[in-house]
Amino acid sequence: MLMDYKDNKHDQNRLFHSFGFAISGIFHTVKNERNMQIHVFVTVLTIILGSMLSLSIIEWLFILSAIAGTLSLELINTAIENTVDLVTEKRHPLAKIAKDVAAGAVLIYALYSVIIGCIIFLPKIYRYL
């Protein structure tokens, strides 16, 4: 019984630390990556505008999914770029491809997010004009 408690406590500590590492990675990326700063700025504006326009639950689900996807992909892109930079300092065609593909994934999802935003926000804004 005592062994189970210690194992459980150890698992809880590992879980707590893993959340800390994840939050540290998010803050590092926001602090150091210009594209992430742009995404966060647009996220704040989107949430403010969505609150002002009283989005429905379904609209919020689409908006929040677009935000979470874009921010998550930007974090993955940063991880890939840093890993490639760690592995090689030389210009290598495969390193370029890895970085370009990761950036392309962010671009596709960011464009998807813009389209979702336009579909949801433009009719509401148009009604106020």
Side-chain angles (χ1 to χ4, degrees), residues 1-18:
M1 189 76 152
L2 185 59
M3 190 66 146
D4 290 338
Y5 174 76
K6 285 183 180 180
D7 288 343
N8 190 29
K9 183 120 173 123
H10 178 70
D11 287 344
Q12 288 174 347
N13 284 338
R14 285 180 40 195
L15 180 64
F16 179 75
H17 286 295
S18 69

Side-chain angles (χ1 to χ4, degrees), residues 84-96:
V84 168
D85 290 345
L86 178 66
V87 171
T88 181
E89 292 181 7
K90 297 178 184 176
R91 290 187 179 259
H92 191 284
L94 292 177
K96 180 182 179 346

Side-chain angles (χ1 to χ4, degrees), residues 71-88:
L71 296 178
S72 296
L73 279 172
E74 188 62 49
L75 289 166
I76 292 169
N77 180 48
T78 299
I80 290 170
E81 287 179 349
N82 284 308
T83 301
V84 168
D85 290 345
L86 178 66
V87 171
T88 181

Side-chain angles (χ1 to χ4, degrees), residues 1-114:
M1 189 76 152
L2 185 59
M3 190 66 146
D4 290 338
Y5 174 76
K6 285 183 180 180
D7 288 343
N8 190 29
K9 183 120 173 123
H10 178 70
D11 287 344
Q12 288 174 347
N13 284 338
R14 285 180 40 195
L15 180 64
F16 179 75
H17 286 295
S18 69
F19 279 114
F21 297 142
I23 291 168
S24 176
I26 293 167
F27 279 120
H28 172 82
T29 305
V30 170
K31 181 179 176 188
N32 295 293
E33 296 294 326
R34 179 181 48 90
N35 287 344
M36 183 61 127
Q37 293 166 357
I38 293 168
H39 292 310
V40 169
F41 177 73
V42 172
T43 292
V44 170
L45 290 179
T46 301
I47 290 171
I48 291 169
L49 184 60
S51 297
M52 290 170 52
L53 295 174
S54 302
L55 299 183
S56 71
I57 297 290
I58 297 297
E59 290 169 329
W60 273 117
L61 288 174
F62 277 101
I63 292 295
L64 293 174
S65 293
I67 289 169
T70 301
L71 296 178
S72 296
L73 279 172
E74 188 62 49
L75 289 166
I76 292 169
N77 180 48
T78 299
I80 290 170
E81 287 179 349
N82 284 308
T83 301
V84 168
D85 290 345
L86 178 66
V87 171
T88 181
E89 292 181 7
K90 297 178 184 176
R91 290 187 179 259
H92 191 284
L94 292 177
K96 180 182 179 346
I97 289 170
K99 288 181 166 188
D100 290 353
V101 168
V106 177
L107 178 61
I108 287 171
Y109 207 91
L111 291 173
Y112 163 78
S113 297
V114 168

